[in-house]
Amino acid sequence: MLRRRLNHLFGGDEGRVHSRTIYVGHKPCPPNEAFIPPKFCDNRIVSSKYTVWNFLPKNLFEQFRRIANFYFLIIFLVQVIVDTPTSPVTSGLPLFFVITVTAVKQGYEDWLRHKADREVNDYPVSVLEDGRRIRKRSKKLKVGDIVEVEEDETFPCDLILLQSSRDDGTCFVTTASLDGESNHKTHYTVSDLESDLQYLSATIECEQPQPDLYKFVGRMHIYRNSQEPDVRSLGPENLLLKGANLKNTQKIYGVAVYTGMETKMALNYQGKSQKRSAVEKSINAFLLVYLFILVSKALVCTTLKYVWQSKHDEPWYNEKTQKEKDTNQYLKMFTDFLSFMVLFNFIIPVSMYVTVEMQKFLGSFFIAWDKDFFDPEIKEGALVNTSDLNEELGQVEYIFTDKTGTLTQNNMEFIECCIDGFQYKHQEGSSELDGFCVTDGPVNKVQQKAGREREELFLRALCLCHTVQVKESTKQGQDQIDQLDHVDGLGSEEVLQPPQQERGFIASSPDEIALVKGAMRYGFTFLGLESKNMKILNRNKDVETYELLHVLNFDPVRRRMSVMVRSKTGDILLFCKGADSSIFPQVRQEEVERIRMHVERNATDGYRTLCVAYKHLSTEEYAKADADLREARLALQDREEKLMAVYNQVETDMILIGATAVEDQLQDEAAQTMEALQGAGMKVWVLTGDKMETAKSTCYACGLFKKKTELLELTLRTLEDGGRSREGRLHDLLLEYHKKAVQDAPPVKLGITRSWSVTGHDYGFIIDGASLSMVLSSSSESNSRSYKNLFLQICQNCTAVLCCRMAPLQKAQIVKLVKNSKGSPITLSIGDGANDVSMILEAHVGIGIKGREGRQAVKNSDYAIPKLKHLKKLLLAHGHLYYVRIAHLVQYFFYKNLCFILPQFLYQFFCGYSQQPLYDAAYLTMYNICFTSMPILAYSLLEQHICIDVLLDNSTLYREIAKNAMLRWKLFLYWTALGIFHGLVFFFGVWFLFSNPALQDNGQVFGNWSYGTIVFTVLVFTVTLKLALDTRHWTWINHFVIWGSLAFYVFFSFFWGGIIWPFLKHQRLYFVFANMLSSVSAWLIIILLILLSLLPEILLVVLRKPRGPHARQKKRVESSAGDPQSPQSSARPLLMRTFSDESNTVI
């Protein structure tokens, strides 16, 4: 960094900062110059978090950053150092257990990451050195090495393609692990290189590593003898990315340009960080409140102790020793303060964190055991990789989903075509379409509506205008007839003869294969490309050969692609296909209207539509176009702009032939799932690396975009319009869209979380990767901040957002942008490929789909499900229930411990602030561990306050718990007030009883331990019965733990006080419990205090009309279902729990 700044300051070579020079094969260029090898990083991949040396300190540091762990560490140290009323074991042992278990778990996970890194780094690769082929481990690769890769192998680093085994100098790769697309992409070698790479002397100058998968700029200087070096331009078509796989090509050679953590794949990898749920944050906030209460109690008692001692002489039975008298007064006060802290410490028990961890761990098994998540196709169910986020599934506000393999099956099917305004649709029987009776069959039979010549021209266009390759397989094609899609009713004389071998099609886009197969249905078969010659078999079984002259590749601005071919007769034809909006302006307008209505209807139905046009080129027109194309392709500056200008110049005055409709089949129940999620108040964003037209069609098919939705588009195409600079146009569009979607939108009514629920107009937003880069990284920092805010506000007021042509890191940037926006909404990312890993790791909750694109997404996700449709139940049922359960657990735990420790605090006012415990040490230890822990654990695992079927049928119920509704401060204060009320009732109720301490028939008085035992008995029974009142879904487990806990308390008290224990110095409770129960007054006060504690809450619910999220759904469920058999539990207020709800729902 310092060297770069000095170079910049003193006019050094700035090119070193912005570009790198690579010596191919580590040879000096030119040969007579001195060679100083540049330094680049090696090819080692590191994804682990710890090493052997830093694991212990780093892990302990991370764990003690949690407030709870640090607090209990301090309490443990105080108990060790200071003479306190309780033993250090009560805090130290649970803390040690929690820290150890967490460390073992995190250490094991990091060991797995180390193991995966070793597999990648030690993978053997072949390298050419001095003409010899040697084997190296992947981590030993260096920039400049010439690497050999064979078919089906993965590229070990980013390579420039130098040589291919294919005659045409191309190779095919799949990039499923990078952008999620399983289609074959074509890459090209650098032209005019030596056939023997041993004698190649060249350098490559290219940009520094950057994460954009679709961008690469460089040039190669080739040195031959003493001549001036030849210069070749390099682009993305020459770059093979690490993680991609070589397909349909025996062998390639490439030179390494980016290695290790500088590869595009590594730059797009988002490191895995520990995720924390909103519930955990609420616990920490509540913990701070109770810490304040704890400190306040200790300060009050310490102060009053010394005030009391100043007014009263030291009693004879508690006279101070000489050592105590010599102790510094302030030190003694501080020691007393710490002792009170330890005495009241049980207000924040470590057992709550243990119970929460157990609830999360055991609760996660219910997801894995859910039979509805089992997919018979892959014979797998759901997978839980982390149990820390179960409750977060019930708080999701934004869903970011991949398209390919998640929303869709990536399985294109040709549906219909339109030729000269006449529609040809494959279906059984006949139907009335647009006023024309269409009968299934070959297009040349029954009704020759468009004319045979136009039909054949259209089908030739489908067979020629593409980049499809034919892959021969060794399997014999005996069943070829079954594999070919053909028209229903086709006569046997029309069926194609099966070729010698079965042919497979590969292409960079699956819709191209669908179009080629669609042409096969009508008798035109693409036979392949051989030495720049494209061969097709027409319906007369004649082979037609066309010379491929140029391919005008698809780009997101033009939104069309073309080919120039020369027939055997010498005619030069341009065939073009593309989106309707890009084709219609380039053709004669009188032909547009005949096609437009078919295209619009197909688009509304969710099909992907393409229009097809052609043009005859004269010899002069072709010669000019050929020269312009060659010149533009050699340009080093503004190459894309120059090529686009030539493309637009050639693709004019075309003749429109027809249009096609292709269906990208959705996942099962994709539309219903999206509808349910939107109904639950979640906003769905589609983040895809696919083209805009493809993704937009999918959004329509899924119902994310409706027919009435107005689309706001911010893409390169819209930025190019208007004649202004892109930056200026971006500013104008953002302001225009903000005015439409935000400023002019009516205000949102109270209680409505969805903006489109109240607006009369729906908006959808579309942005591409290039435009997003401009929004996120504007030239001016102030502009960038302004653009981000405008962009976010627009998106948050749209029904759905589509982000296309996204690099993996851009997906994560989008998620991070929303996650850190105002209100910190809970985000969920779902995808199936390695390209989705970054956004899965970035979101609060990451969901992996067990799809066809490998298992990288599944391995890095928090939860994995077989299909998208399972997301509905995962969120609406499991997420809802988990959140309600753990929210009640947290509130209940704070409540019951406030009830527990408040009498202990009040007792100090009656014992001279002497730190005398109210309860026996056994009760202090067992209260949270045994007496009250199991009922709340069972509740937090089994409770179903609303039936699962009702939750799935009424997705709006999910909104009622949104924004952490059950852990808000209002409810927290209610539970705290309830705890204070119960604590006061317990203490002063027994105190009133003890106004006459002679409570036994023999006149024997009760002592202080009897007093504490009665308070403790009322406490245990009240908090347990309170939970019983809160339980709606009763199972035998609930009955067992609730009544069993009460029985165990009684049994333990008899047992503990009925035996003289030799290891105890003081037998405080010897026969205390038995004597207490021999008093009728004690029985009476226990029963009365329990009823008095619970009665106000019961009366409040009975007499007051139920309110709150779970009560409001009563009318909604009854009105929507109207079913007398609907479960009782779904229609009862939250606090009115009765024992009659048993077995209304199943676990």
Side-chain angles (χ1 to χ4, degrees):
M1 180 62 71
L2 178 63
R3 185 178 63 185
R4 290 182 180 180
R5 290 188 177 180
L6 290 174
N7 281 338
H8 180 73
L9 185 64
F10 297 109
D13 184 9
E14 295 186 17
R16 292 180 181 274
V17 177
H18 302 295
S19 64
R20 59 170 53 186
T21 301
I22 297 158
Y23 294 86
V24 178
H26 307 289
K27 296 177 181 177
C29 297
N32 54 0
E33 286 190 1
F35 174 58
I36 303 176
K39 292 184 178 180
F40 301 110
C41 73
D42 59 19
N43 201 39
R44 186 181 287 107
I45 294 293
V46 179
S47 64
S48 55
K49 189 176 180 181
Y50 304 108
T51 65
V52 175
W53 309 109
N54 70 9
F55 172 73
L56 197 59
K58 191 173 181 179
N59 186 264
L60 288 177
F61 173 74
E62 290 176 349
Q63 290 204 58
F64 284 115
R65 286 172 64 186
R66 293 181 62 180
I67 295 176
N69 290 342
F70 183 72
Y71 165 76
F72 288 115
L73 176 65
I74 296 298
I75 292 297
F76 170 71
L77 294 177
V78 168
Q79 289 177 300
V80 170
I81 297 170
V82 180
D83 182 19
T84 57
T86 56
S87 168
V89 177
T90 56
S91 296
L93 196 60
L95 178 64
F96 177 77
F97 174 76
V98 171
I99 294 295
T100 303
V101 169
T102 306
V104 170
K105 175 188 171 187
Q106 293 179 354
Y108 175 71
E109 290 174 349
D110 202 64
W111 177 77
L112 292 178
R113 286 192 286 269
H114 274 283
K115 184 179 178 183
D117 288 345
R118 281 196 299 271
E119 289 179 3
V120 173
N121 293 330
D122 293 340
Y123 186 82
V125 295
S126 299
V127 179
L128 290 183
E129 287 187 2
D130 301 325
R132 295 180 293 111
R133 178 175 175 271
I134 63 173
R135 300 287 280 178
K136 276 187 179 181
R137 288 188 291 178
S138 177
K139 64 182 180 183
K140 298 291 186 181
L141 279 181
K142 298 178 181 178
V143 171
D145 282 346
I146 297 177
V147 182
E148 177 189 297
V149 181
E150 297 183 348
E151 186 172 8
D152 294 326
E153 287 186 345
T154 301
F155 301 120
C157 57
D158 291 350
L159 307 168
I160 292 295
L161 180 58
L162 300 178
Q163 199 174 88
S164 170
S165 60
R166 294 179 63 90
D167 296 334
D168 55 2
T170 63
C171 75
F172 299 100
V173 303
T174 57
T175 56
S177 61
L178 296 168
D179 57 15
E181 296 185 16
S182 57
N183 313 303
H184 291 62
K185 293 180 173 61
T186 306
H187 288 258
Y188 301 89
T189 59
V190 182
S191 58
D192 301 329
L193 291 181
E194 284 80 355
S195 57
D196 190 348
L197 296 178
Q198 179 183 355
Y199 302 106
L200 175 63
S201 180
T203 61
I204 294 174
E205 186 179 356
C206 62
E207 61 187 358
Q208 290 289 6
Q210 52 98 358
D212 192 338
L213 297 178
Y214 310 106
K215 183 180 177 184
F216 177 76
V217 176
R219 56 188 174 187
M220 176 180 278
H221 299 264
I222 304 171
Y223 297 87
R224 293 187 175 94
N225 301 325
S226 59
Q227 304 174 1
E228 283 293 316
D230 295 333
V231 181
R232 301 283 184 270
S233 60
L234 303 176
E237 68 276 6
N238 307 115
L239 184 67
L240 305 174
L241 300 178
K242 176 182 175 66
N245 290 82
L246 183 65
K247 296 291 182 181
N248 205 31
T249 309
Q250 291 182 359
K251 184 188 300 183
I252 65 98
Y253 292 95
V255 58
V257 288
Y258 304 128
T259 53
M261 302 306 290
E262 292 183 341
T263 60
K264 291 183 180 288
M265 183 180 186
L267 293 175
N268 275 280
Y269 177 74
Q270 187 82 3
K272 192 165 187 177
S273 59
Q274 191 162 1
K275 299 180 180 181
R276 295 172 58 204
S277 70
V279 170
E280 186 176 344
K281 296 173 185 176
S282 296
I283 291 176
N284 288 338
F286 297 162
L287 178 67
L288 291 176
V289 173
Y290 272 70
L291 276 173
F292 175 76
I293 295 174
L294 172 64
V295 173
S296 301
K297 286 182 177 181
L299 281 173
V300 168
C301 288
T302 305
T303 304
L304 292 179
K305 175 178 181 177
Y306 284 90
V307 171
W308 187 86
Q309 286 183 355
S310 66
K311 294 181 179 179
H312 298 81
D313 295 330
E314 194 73 25
W316 60 268
Y317 55 82
N318 195 25
E319 189 174 350
K320 292 181 180 179
T321 63
Q322 187 62 37
K323 182 179 180 182
E324 289 175 332
K325 292 178 181 178
D326 295 340
T327 305
N328 183 278
Q329 182 73 5
Y330 294 105
L331 179 61
K332 185 72 172 69
M333 292 176 66
F334 180 68
T335 304
D336 285 333
F337 170 76
L338 294 180
S339 297
F340 278 117
M341 286 279 291
V342 171
L343 184 64
F344 301 143
N345 165 56
F346 293 93
I347 196 172
I348 309 170
V350 70
S351 61
M352 181 181 71
Y353 291 89
V354 176
T355 306
V356 167
E357 291 296 327
M358 290 178 64
Q359 190 269 349
K360 291 181 176 183
F361 175 71
L362 297 175
S364 64
F365 286 102
F366 291 167
I367 295 177
W369 291 339
D370 194 326
K371 293 181 180 179
D372 291 341
F373 291 156
F374 183 78
D375 183 42
E377 184 179 338
I378 62 173
K379 293 182 172 52
E380 290 185 39
L383 175 68
V384 180
N385 290 326
T386 177
S387 59
D388 295 335
L389 303 170
N390 294 342
E391 65 278 6
E392 208 81 331
L393 296 171
Q395 294 293 296
V396 175
E397 297 174 60
Y398 285 84
I399 293 179
F400 301 92
T401 175
D402 181 38
K403 182 190 77 71
T404 308
T406 304
L407 289 176
T408 69
Q409 300 178 20
N410 201 23
N411 185 13
M412 303 291 183
E413 182 182 358
F414 184 86
I415 300 298
E416 62 181 58
C417 62
C418 168
I419 305 173
D420 269 357
F422 300 103
Q423 185 165 1
Y424 300 87
K425 186 176 178 68
H426 301 287
Q427 62 182 37
E428 295 182 3
S430 62
S431 63
E432 193 73 22
L433 293 173
D434 298 338
F436 298 98
C437 182
V438 181
T439 303
D440 290 335
V443 296
N444 65 324
K445 296 176 71 173
V446 184
Q447 293 186 10
Q448 300 182 6
K449 297 185 301 181
R452 185 181 182 92
E453 183 179 347
R454 297 287 284 184
E455 290 170 359
E456 292 189 348
L457 183 64
F458 176 81
L459 296 172
R460 285 191 183 94
L462 295 187
C463 282
L464 296 172
C465 187
H466 55 71
T467 56
V468 174
Q469 300 284 336
V470 176
K471 180 179 180 180
E472 304 287 348
S473 67
T474 57
K475 181 181 176 181
Q476 296 298 318
Q478 298 300 323
D479 56 348
Q480 177 72 9
I481 298 176
D482 297 329
Q483 302 237 347
L484 292 176
D485 296 321
H486 55 273
V487 182
D488 189 28
L490 191 65
S492 58
E493 70 276 8
E494 300 286 346
V495 177
L496 297 174
Q497 295 298 320
Q500 291 285 327
Q501 290 181 323
E502 186 180 321
R503 296 175 183 272
F505 294 117
I506 56 176
S508 59
S509 177
D511 56 351
E512 291 198 327
I513 296 178
L515 294 178
V516 170
K517 288 185 175 180
M520 288 174 61
R521 295 179 176 181
Y522 296 107
F524 274 73
T525 305
F526 175 62
L527 300 179
L529 174 67
E530 297 177 5
S531 302
K532 295 291 184 179
N533 289 321
M534 302 181 78
K535 296 181 179 181
I536 61 176
L537 184 70
N538 62 26
R539 67 174 58 157
N540 297 323
K541 308 302 178 291
D542 297 327
V543 176
E544 300 178 6
T545 303
Y546 295 86
E547 181 187 356
L548 179 61
L549 303 175
H550 285 286
V551 176
L552 282 55
N553 291 318
F554 177 90
D555 67 74
V557 178
R558 282 169 48 245
R559 298 197 296 175
R560 57 182 181 266
M561 69 89 62
S562 303
V563 294
M564 294 183 189
V565 295
R566 181 186 285 120
S567 67
K568 281 190 174 181
T569 59
D571 294 333
I572 299 176
L573 295 170
L574 171 80
F575 290 110
C576 181
K577 73 171 188 284
D580 56 323
S581 57
S582 65
I583 294 290
F584 287 166
Q586 308 299 116
V587 300
R588 300 169 187 173
Q589 293 307 302
E590 62 270 15
E591 302 166 347
V592 170
E593 293 307 318
R594 293 180 296 174
I595 306 292
R596 188 189 299 275
M597 65 176 182
H598 296 277
V599 172
E600 289 179 351
R601 188 185 63 245
N602 288 331
T604 303
D605 292 339
Y607 297 139
R608 299 181 57 189
T609 58
L610 290 175
C611 294
V612 181
Y614 84 104
K615 177 182 179 181
H616 278 281
L617 295 175
S618 65
T619 306
E620 293 77 14
E621 287 176 322
Y622 171 71
K624 183 178 184 309
D626 180 64
D628 291 344
L629 285 170
R630 293 182 185 278
E631 181 183 353
R633 283 172 177 155
L634 288 175
L636 295 178
Q637 300 293 329
D638 302 325
R639 185 192 312 172
E640 294 179 359
E641 289 78 4
K642 292 178 180 178
L643 280 173
M644 193 177 301
V646 179
Y647 293 166
N648 290 330
Q649 184 179 357
V650 174
E651 296 168 338
T652 54
D653 298 325
M654 296 185 292
I655 300 171
L656 187 62
I657 318 173
T660 62
V662 174
E663 181 183 19
D664 186 0
Q665 296 179 0
L666 294 177
Q667 292 277 4
D668 295 340
E669 302 178 26
Q672 297 91 318
T673 302
M674 292 297 108
E675 181 183 3
L677 297 178
Q678 285 191 325
M682 295 174 239
K683 292 189 176 182
V684 182
W685 292 31
V686 179
L687 311 183
T688 177
D690 213 338
K691 297 189 289 288
M692 187 183 76
E693 287 74 23
T694 311
K696 190 160 69 172
S697 298
T698 303
C699 288
Y700 274 112
C702 286
L704 296 176
F705 291 160
K706 310 289 184 184
K707 188 174 183 180
K708 63 177 181 178
T709 303
E710 180 180 346
L711 298 181
L712 309 177
E713 186 178 326
L714 188 65
T715 60
L716 277 182
R717 185 178 65 85
T718 55
L719 293 179
E720 296 290 345
D721 296 342
R724 295 190 58 190
S725 67
R726 288 184 178 179
E727 184 87 15
R729 182 67 176 153
L730 174 68
H731 183 263
D732 293 345
L733 283 175
L734 284 174
L735 290 179
E736 177 189 340
Y737 294 160
H738 186 268
K739 186 175 186 305
K740 274 187 180 182
V742 182
Q743 297 176 15
D744 294 345
V748 179
K749 293 180 182 178
L750 189 64
I752 302 293
T753 57
R754 315 309 286 144
S755 59
W756 60 85
S757 300
V758 292
T759 57
H761 201 81
D762 289 351
Y763 293 100
F765 192 76
I766 301 176
I767 188 171
D768 62 8
S771 303
L772 179 68
S773 296
M774 295 179 65
V775 170
L776 297 181
S777 56
S778 175
S779 55
S780 167
E781 185 177 344
S782 59
N783 278 352
S784 178
R785 193 179 302 112
S786 172
Y787 290 166
K788 286 180 185 177
N789 292 334
L790 288 173
F791 168 70
L792 264 179
Q793 291 178 33
I794 294 168
C795 291
Q796 289 169 348
N797 281 272
C798 290
T799 59
V801 177
L802 168 60
C803 304
C804 48
R805 306 305 290 174
M806 291 281 131
L809 197 58
Q810 284 183 311
K811 293 183 177 184
Q813 288 174 338
I814 285 276
V815 176
K816 186 175 182 179
L817 188 66
V818 175
K819 187 173 77 169
N820 296 332
S821 64
K822 185 178 179 181
S824 301
I826 303 300
T827 57
L828 179 147
S829 293
I830 179 169
D832 70 319
N835 62 307
D836 304 315
V837 168
S838 292
M839 73 171 183
I840 285 174
L841 294 175
E842 182 62 51
H844 292 94
V845 182
I847 308 289
I849 298 286
K850 297 181 177 180
R852 304 175 180 176
E853 311 295 352
R855 289 300 172 96
Q856 292 93 335
V858 172
K859 290 177 182 177
N860 288 277
S861 64
D862 302 308
Y863 303 89
I865 51 179
K867 294 285 175 63
L868 176 73
K869 64 180 181 181
H870 299 135
L871 184 64
K872 177 182 176 182
K873 186 175 183 182
L874 184 66
L875 298 184
L876 301 189
H878 286 284
H880 188 119
L881 294 175
Y882 279 133
Y883 173 74
V884 171
R885 291 165 180 169
I886 200 167
H888 197 280
L889 182 150
V890 171
Q891 300 278 29
Y892 177 80
F893 244 104
F894 280 109
Y895 149 78
K896 76 182 181 71
N897 283 283
L898 185 57
C899 293
F900 176 46
I901 221 65
L902 182 59
Q904 175 72 72
F905 170 70
L906 295 173
Y907 185 62
Q908 298 306 306
F909 290 85
F910 296 88
C911 68
Y913 314 98
S914 60
Q915 300 157 17
Q916 168 69 30
L918 176 63
Y919 313 117
D920 183 71
Y923 285 162
L924 285 171
T925 306
M926 301 286 282
Y927 176 73
N928 282 305
I929 296 177
C930 298
F931 298 153
T932 60
S933 60
M934 294 308 295
I936 186 59
L937 179 60
Y939 175 94
S940 64
L941 290 172
L942 305 174
E943 175 65 359
Q944 292 181 21
H945 64 294
I946 300 177
C947 177
I948 287 180
D949 293 336
V950 175
L951 288 173
L952 293 177
D953 293 339
N954 298 271
S955 58
T956 52
L957 293 175
Y958 190 89
R959 300 188 192 186
E960 307 290 1
I961 60 168
K963 301 283 186 182
N964 209 10
M966 293 187 66
L967 287 174
R968 290 179 182 165
W969 287 106
K970 185 176 179 180
L971 275 174
F972 172 71
L973 293 177
Y974 163 77
W975 281 91
T976 302
L978 186 65
I980 292 173
F981 168 70
H982 285 175
L984 292 172
V985 169
F986 301 158
F987 183 83
F988 287 106
V990 181
W991 177 80
F992 177 77
L993 171 70
F994 270 65
S995 58
N996 178 13
L999 298 176
Q1000 290 183 291
D1001 296 336
N1002 58 8
Q1004 183 179 349
V1005 296
F1006 278 176
N1008 64 313
W1009 295 114
S1010 298
Y1011 186 97
T1013 302
I1014 296 176
V1015 172
F1016 192 79
T1017 303
V1018 176
L1019 165 70
V1020 170
F1021 273 79
T1022 301
V1023 297
T1024 304
L1025 292 177
K1026 168 72 173 72
L1027 187 64
L1029 286 175
D1030 286 349
T1031 302
R1032 291 191 183 186
H1033 178 63
W1034 284 86
T1035 67
W1036 69 267
I1037 299 176
N1038 296 91
H1039 282 290
F1040 177 77
V1041 296
I1042 286 179
W1043 314 124
S1045 294
L1046 296 177
F1048 175 74
Y1049 164 69
V1050 175
F1051 170 77
F1052 176 83
S1053 297
F1054 275 115
F1055 183 71
W1056 181 250
I1059 298 176
I1060 297 178
W1061 301 99
F1063 55 84
L1064 291 179
K1065 294 181 180 179
H1066 306 288
Q1067 190 81 6
R1068 294 167 176 170
L1069 289 189
Y1070 184 66
F1071 264 83
V1072 168
F1073 191 77
N1075 284 333
M1076 179 192 77
L1077 293 185
S1078 67
S1079 170
V1080 177
S1081 301
W1083 277 91
L1084 181 62
I1085 199 66
I1086 290 172
I1087 295 172
L1088 283 177
L1089 289 180
I1090 293 172
L1091 291 176
L1092 182 62
S1093 300
L1094 298 177
L1095 189 61
E1097 185 180 2
I1098 297 173
L1099 291 177
L1100 188 66
V1101 175
V1102 170
L1103 298 177
R1104 188 186 65 181
K1105 183 180 178 180
R1107 291 183 296 176
H1110 302 286
R1112 285 200 301 271
Q1113 53 89 21
K1114 175 179 179 178
K1115 287 185 178 179
R1116 184 184 301 116
V1117 173
E1118 289 178 343
S1119 60
S1120 61
D1123 182 7
Q1125 302 297 324
S1126 59
Q1128 299 173 18
S1129 62
S1130 64
R1132 291 179 182 255
L1134 179 63
L1135 295 177
M1136 185 54 189
R1137 321 296 180 117
T1138 67
F1139 303 140
S1140 60
D1141 289 333
E1142 183 177 356
S1143 302
N1144 282 329
T1145 51
V1146 294
I1147 299 173

